[in-house]
């Protein structure tokens, strides 16, 4: 069985291999800190051996509930934000039909809510749900987050207008903390089916817990294969040797890139179905490392689409970037370029070739062009886009993130910065307990002289 691989050939004109390998002792030291769980944030390392810890009975429970949802629902609405939705959304998008929600399938359509507070979004969603059999999976580790709480209120209210209280109860599944939070209180009181998010796994590392696994299984994706991929990667990455550990090699290169003034990493893909993998990755690295006024800014683009927009910037803009390509080796589609009788557009030289063949040449061409444009780049190659290799990829990025965060000397498992907006929002909304902050902010707003043109 092949594994995902990291190709760093086009990095080596910018950082010397010997300088990468000089990092080995530091990497081995951090590896020990991770494995022995002695570093900062070590109470959030539950994801480390999660793939090999998940039991058959946990999987059975998830698959059983997913089967029930599939049988009795036209639509599953997944309510959650940040780590409580990005993992599921990324895996489902990567492995489902590109137009899944527009087609009649054996699996329900899947929509997301609780990840924004747009009135239009909710009104539009209401229209989509009209006269449909709807189930809801509400996911919140803290059980107190505003966006999913409001999303659940809206969905409950909507469902109550069409079905009985008992039916609403049966159609809501809560994934939350085992003991605390208002979602837990509500789930207990209402008698919702429940799944527990382990205490020692933070949101952005939680895709392989019921947070991700229930929606993913409902979409008809084999969660056993996803976990098997993660499990095999877990084993492979136990060896700290940079020459055989692609996650540590990736983390080390990030560290050296940053030290060389490359403050932005751009993750790119060549398949629209991978767009949300980048969103998940951005959260993982952005929230794990972006603190203490340092760290790489994780950005993403979708190629070849964005080669016609941001491609210009990447080729010739400020040289403070490096790129990581996500490339899938095996083609998933058979669409071929047709021949045209008079070759009016001049593309007959591609007739009979698959779109993926052309895409591959775009990928090869862009790695060379960007390297020539002084953009160091590396490629993470997936042999195939399936549940098994996505499981490998998820674990690869998680382990690399822990290494990368520790090399940067930050706690990769907390997110103190996300509280600032919440405090201000609650104060401005007039939430109880925020009276003093409310007065302070309203006074600032009242006396701020706006400069507007
Ligand atoms: O990674 C994280 O911890 C965050 O992105 C959370 O997942 C996000 O804020 C949602 O939190 P909760 O699941 O508590 O509603």
């Amino acid at each position: 069985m092949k594994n995902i691989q990291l190709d760093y050939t086009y990095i080596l004109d910018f950082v010397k291999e010997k300088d990468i390998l000089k990092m080995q002792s530091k990497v081995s030291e951090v590896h020990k800190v991770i494995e022995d769980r002695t570093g900062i944030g070590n109470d959030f390392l539950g994801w480390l051996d999660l793939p090999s810890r998940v039991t058959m009975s946990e999987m059975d429970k998830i698959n059983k509930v997913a089967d029930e949802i599939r049988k009795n629902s036209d639509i599953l609405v997944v309510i959650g934000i940040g780590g409580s939705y990005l993992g599921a959304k990324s895996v489902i998008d990567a492995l489902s039909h590109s137009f899944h929600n527009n087609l009649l399938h054996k699996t329900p359509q899947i929509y997301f809510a609780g990840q924004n507070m747009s009135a239009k979004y909710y009104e539009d969603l209401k229209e989509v749900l009209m006269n449909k059999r709807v189930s809801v999976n509400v996911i919140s580790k803290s059980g107190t987050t505003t966006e999913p709480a409001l999303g659940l209120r809206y969905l409950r209210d909507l469902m109550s207008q069409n079905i009985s209280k008992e039916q609403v109860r049966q159609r809501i599944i809560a994934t939350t903390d085992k003991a605390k939070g208002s979602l837990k209180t509500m789930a207990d009181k209402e008698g919702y089916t429940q799944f527990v998010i382990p205490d020692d796994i933070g949101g952005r590392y939680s895709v392989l817990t019921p947070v991700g696994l229930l929606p993913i299984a409902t979409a008809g994706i084999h969660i056993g294969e996803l976990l098997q991929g993660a499990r095999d990667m877990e084993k492979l990455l136990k060896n700290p040797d940079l020459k055989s550990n692609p996650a540590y090699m990736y983390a080390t290169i990030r560290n050296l890139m940053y030290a060389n003034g490359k403050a932005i990493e751009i993750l790119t893909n060549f398949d629209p179905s991978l767009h949300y993998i980048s969103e998940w990755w951005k959260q993982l690295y952005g929230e794990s490392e972006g603190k203490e006024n340092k760290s790489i800014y994780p950005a993403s683009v979708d190629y070849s689409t964005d080669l016609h927009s941001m491609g210009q910037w990447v080729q010739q803009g400020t040289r403070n970037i490096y790129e990581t390509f996500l490339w899938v080796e095996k083609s998933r589609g058979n669409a071929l370029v047709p021949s045209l009788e008079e070759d009016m557009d001049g593309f007959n030289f591609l007739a009979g070739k698959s779109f993926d063949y052309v895409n591959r040449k775009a990928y090869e061409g862009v790695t060379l062009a960007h390297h020539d444009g002084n953009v160091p780049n590396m490629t993470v190659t997936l042999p195939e886009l399936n549940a098994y290799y996505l499981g490998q990829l998820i674990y690869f990025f998680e382990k690399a993130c822990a290494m990368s965060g520790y090399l940067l000397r930050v706690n990769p498992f907390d997110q103190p910065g996300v509280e600032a907006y919440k405090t201000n929002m609650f104060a401005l909304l007039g939430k109880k307990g925020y009276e003093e902050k409310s007065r302070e902010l309203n006074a600032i707003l009242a006396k701020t002289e706006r400069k507007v043109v």
Side-chain angles (χ1 to χ4, degrees), residues 80-86 139-149 175-176 197 201-206 211 283-284 287 413-415 418-419 422:
I81 194 163
S84 289
Y85 99 100
L86 283 166
I139 307 166
S140 176
K141 179 163 190 215
S142 62
T144 57
T145 309
T146 309
E147 289 89 340
T175 306
T176 190
I197 309 175
I201 301 183
R204 57 192 177 275
Y205 292 84
S206 70
V211 169
Q283 190 213 356
L284 182 62
E287 218 167 42
F413 308 115
D414 67 357
Q415 55 284 326
V418 299
E419 293 311 314
K422 289 186 195 168

Side-chain angles (χ1 to χ4, degrees), residues 18-57:
K18 71 172 185 1
D19 290 330
I20 298 176
L21 297 179
K22 262 194 217 154
M23 293 283 290
Q24 182 64 66
S25 57
K26 182 81 205 154
V27 166
S28 299
E29 222 173 87
V30 173
H31 174 73
K32 191 163 163 21
V33 165
I34 297 172
E35 296 294 327
D36 294 350
R37 304 180 188 225
T38 50
I40 186 164
N42 57 356
D43 42 350
F44 281 97
L45 276 169
W47 55 272
L48 193 58
D49 57 354
L50 174 74
S52 54
R53 260 191 307 119
V54 177
T55 63
M56 277 313 281
S57 77

Side-chain angles (χ1 to χ4, degrees), residues 53-88:
R53 260 191 307 119
V54 177
T55 63
M56 277 313 281
S57 77
E58 286 170 298
M59 301 251 291
D60 286 348
K61 183 181 171 197
I62 291 170
N63 279 321
K64 197 165 155 271
V65 174
D67 276 350
E68 274 165 31
I69 299 172
R70 275 205 296 272
K71 264 186 238 139
N72 67 23
S73 320
D74 303 312
I75 293 180
L76 170 69
V77 181
V78 180
I79 300 179
I81 194 163
S84 289
Y85 99 100
L86 283 166

Side-chain angles (χ1 to χ4, degrees), residues 430-448:
K431 188 174 176 179
K432 203 160 174 269
Y434 290 78
E435 293 79 2
E436 203 182 318
K437 189 76 185 169
S438 171
R439 277 192 292 277
E440 183 197 315
L441 293 183
N442 281 313
I444 293 173
L445 287 175
K447 72 167 191 252
T448 303

Side-chain angles (χ1 to χ4, degrees), residues 110-124:
I110 299 187
Y111 291 95
F112 290 82
Q115 84 287 37
N116 68 63
M117 292 187 286
S118 154
K120 179 181 187 301
Y121 185 90
Y122 276 98
E123 231 167 60
D124 292 350

Side-chain angles (χ1 to χ4, degrees), residues 5 43 71 88 112 175 205 296 341 382 396 449:
Q5 284 186 322
D43 42 350
K71 264 186 238 139
F112 290 82
T175 306
Y205 292 84
I296 292 164
E341 210 170 302
L382 285 80
F396 164 88
E449 204 178 303

